[in-house]
């Protein structure tokens, strides 16, 4: 029986390893083992309430470099939940939902989260969306900055965003063009940012 997320993380890892050892002893043909990622996956599934939906894809996990916050892209890909290590990753303390997308005067629809990326100092979380919008959140979940789909990379369809060194932001498009932004952490929409672009070599 697997341990529940209300057990201390180190204890859960030990319990999972013991459970795996017992399973392996009883089934010599089995090579499956449970590691830290499996434990975090179980905690995330329980925290965001999707552990009962076996047919749904597992949530994507993004652990901050300082290991204090776990960002969870839920299976529906329409929101990102933040779980603190302080609560042993069992409570959601903030949930981010991207702005709805309106096309050609149609009714707005929910945007889809493509990827998340933590800054090296764990202060910021980038959220890239299918509409090519990019959001910068604080580690507490508050919105710091927002680049809407009117920015140049939207024409080429954004597929991922990640942090680089020295507060740079790298944006990868479907056309294999990478945009490089310098972000100073200001709180207004798209301000404090300068950028350039370049095409990836074949």
């Amino acid at each position: 029986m697997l341990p529940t997320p209300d057990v201390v993380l180190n204890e859960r890892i030990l319990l999972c390893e013991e459970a795996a050892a017992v399973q392996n002893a009883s089934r010599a043909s089995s090579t499956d083992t449970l590691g830290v990622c499996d434990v975090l996956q179980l905690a995330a599934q329980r925290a965001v309430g999707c552990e009962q939906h076996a047919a749904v894809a597992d949530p994507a996990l993004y652990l901050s470099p300082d290991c204090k916050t776990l960002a969870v892209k839920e299976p529906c890909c329409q929101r990102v939940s933040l779980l603190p290590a302080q609560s042993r990753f069992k409570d959601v303390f903030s949930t981010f939902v991207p702005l709805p997308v309106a096309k050609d005067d149609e009714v707005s629809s929910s945007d889809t989260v493509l990827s998340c990326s933590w800054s090296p100092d764990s202060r910021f979380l980038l959220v890239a969306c299918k509409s090519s919008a990019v959001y910068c959140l604080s580690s507490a979940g508050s919105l710091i900055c927002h680049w809407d789909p009117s920015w140049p990379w939207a024409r080429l369809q954004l597929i991922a965003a990640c942090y680089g060194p020295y507060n740079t932001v790298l944006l990868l498009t479907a056309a294999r063009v990478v945009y490089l932004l310098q972000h100073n952490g200001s709180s207004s929409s798209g301000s404090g940012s300068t950028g350039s672009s370049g095409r990836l070599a074949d």
Side-chain angles (χ1 to χ4, degrees):
M1 180 175 175
L2 294 177
T4 56
D6 56 353
V7 182
V8 178
L9 181 60
N10 290 337
E11 295 176 358
R12 279 189 277 127
I13 294 170
L14 292 174
L15 288 172
C16 283
E17 289 175 349
E18 290 175 4
V22 170
Q23 287 179 347
N24 288 337
S26 62
R27 295 182 301 162
S29 61
S30 174
T31 58
D32 295 336
T33 57
L34 296 173
V36 176
C37 291
D38 300 304
V39 173
L40 288 176
Q41 195 78 36
L42 289 171
Q45 287 176 346
R46 186 165 184 181
V48 301
C50 65
E51 76 275 16
Q52 301 298 329
H53 305 289
V56 178
D58 288 334
L61 309 181
Y62 305 89
L63 186 63
S64 62
D66 63 7
C67 298
K68 292 182 178 178
T69 309
L70 180 67
V72 180
K73 183 180 77 170
E74 300 189 18
C76 61
C77 297
Q78 293 177 350
R79 62 183 183 176
V80 176
S81 298
L82 298 180
L83 286 62
Q86 192 174 19
S87 73
R88 302 170 187 168
F89 302 112
K90 68 177 183 178
D91 296 323
V92 175
F93 74 85
S94 181
T95 300
F96 171 74
V97 179
L99 292 172
V101 180
K103 293 184 178 179
D104 302 324
D105 298 326
E106 295 179 0
V107 178
S108 298
S109 60
S110 300
D111 205 349
T112 300
V113 176
L114 297 176
S115 67
C116 299
S117 175
W118 285 99
S119 62
D121 59 7
S122 301
R123 293 175 55 211
F124 305 113
L125 176 70
L126 277 183
V127 179
C129 297
K130 190 175 181 179
S131 68
S132 293
V134 180
Y135 300 86
C136 177
L137 310 179
S138 71
S139 58
S142 58
L143 182 64
I144 301 295
C145 189
H146 166 225
W147 294 274
D148 62 32
S150 66
W151 286 73
W153 56 79
R155 299 191 312 263
L156 303 176
Q157 182 56 56
L158 180 71
I159 59 174
C162 70
Y163 265 103
Y166 308 110
N167 288 328
T168 54
V169 174
L170 302 173
L171 305 175
L172 177 63
T173 66
R176 295 175 56 116
V177 174
V178 177
Y179 285 83
L180 174 67
L181 301 177
Q182 184 69 38
H183 180 236
N184 65 7
S186 61
S187 59
S188 48
S189 178
S191 67
S193 301
T194 58
S196 60
S197 65
R199 183 175 295 276
L200 291 178
D202 290 330

